[in-house]
Amino acid sequence: MKIMFKVFSLFIVFSLSAEELELGAALPLADVKMTDISGENISLNDAKGDSGLLVIFTCNTCPWVIAWEDRYVELANVYKSKGVGMIAVNSNEKQFDSVESMEEMKFHAEEKGYNFFYTMDPGSKLAYKFGATRTPHVFLFNYKDKLVYRGAIDDNARKPKKIENTYLADAIDNMLTGKTIDPASTKALGCSIKFKN
């Protein structure tokens, strides 16, 4: 009976988190406050810029994040000055009392030179609502708070010199210039988000 319950619980969690937010959807849970590494309470509305918002579901420990996160910093350097706000969200609630604690987040962010908000998502509320399942998993919203791109940062986490498609940077550039974003959706690759239940 216990095994059946666990399997059912896993199915429920997967079902809740498997459906990615639809392209064109409005920015969800925009006013929900989350604790940032600065100690301030930050919402998505607080993080967004005049031209849009980039939301990255991430963590401290995933090898895929570690391979990609230098590009988080580069993206912030290029696009924050162009009005694109940026926020990284840690939804690994199962590990909030260990490797994904706020103290570990602060240490990690300082070590990696994060220049954007990095918040904790209690109850993984945002991850469920966005349909985020991986770290990293990115969602780009335009100035009207509409989702215009979701998925991966680029096509080569491990070997930056061999990148052929800079999906996210291209999407941001096209968003800023009013051009069509193609592809507007790619497959997010990374570690699974560690939901608590």
Side-chain angles (χ1 to χ4, degrees), residues 51-62:
S51 300
L53 175 66
L54 174 59
V55 181
I56 303 179
F57 288 89
T58 191
C59 64
N60 301 326
T61 56
C62 170

Side-chain angles (χ1 to χ4, degrees), residues 37-102:
I37 53 172
S38 66
E40 296 180 25
N41 291 322
I42 301 295
S43 70
L44 299 182
N45 274 337
D46 294 327
K48 70 184 180 185
D50 292 337
S51 300
L53 175 66
L54 174 59
V55 181
I56 303 179
F57 288 89
T58 191
C59 64
N60 301 326
T61 56
C62 170
W64 290 86
V65 166
I66 292 165
W68 253 312
E69 66 187 333
D70 60 328
R71 279 159 267 181
Y72 298 2
V73 175
E74 291 170 12
L75 288 162
N77 281 334
V78 172
Y79 293 108
K80 280 172 69 178
S81 64
K82 296 181 179 181
V84 180
M86 185 167 164
I87 186 168
V89 179
N90 188 336
S91 300
N92 277 359
E93 189 183 25
K94 193 172 184 179
Q95 299 175 329
F96 281 173
D97 60 352
S98 56
V99 293
E100 304 294 351
S101 70
M102 180 55 71

Side-chain angles (χ1 to χ4, degrees), residues 125-138:
K125 291 187 184 96
L126 267 74
Y128 283 127
K129 197 70 176 178
F130 277 70
T133 57
R134 301 284 168 191
T135 55
H137 199 159
V138 305

Side-chain angles (χ1 to χ4, degrees), residues 3-59:
I3 293 173
M4 285 182 66
F5 179 76
K6 285 182 180 179
V7 170
F8 180 71
S9 297
L10 286 171
F11 173 76
I12 292 295
V13 168
F14 180 78
S15 298
L16 287 170
S17 61
E19 290 296 321
E20 281 183 300
L21 197 64
E22 294 280 341
L23 290 168
L27 178 65
L29 302 180
D31 290 316
V32 170
K33 296 286 187 179
M34 298 172 286
T35 304
D36 177 61
I37 53 172
S38 66
E40 296 180 25
N41 291 322
I42 301 295
S43 70
L44 299 182
N45 274 337
D46 294 327
K48 70 184 180 185
D50 292 337
S51 300
L53 175 66
L54 174 59
V55 181
I56 303 179
F57 288 89
T58 191
C59 64

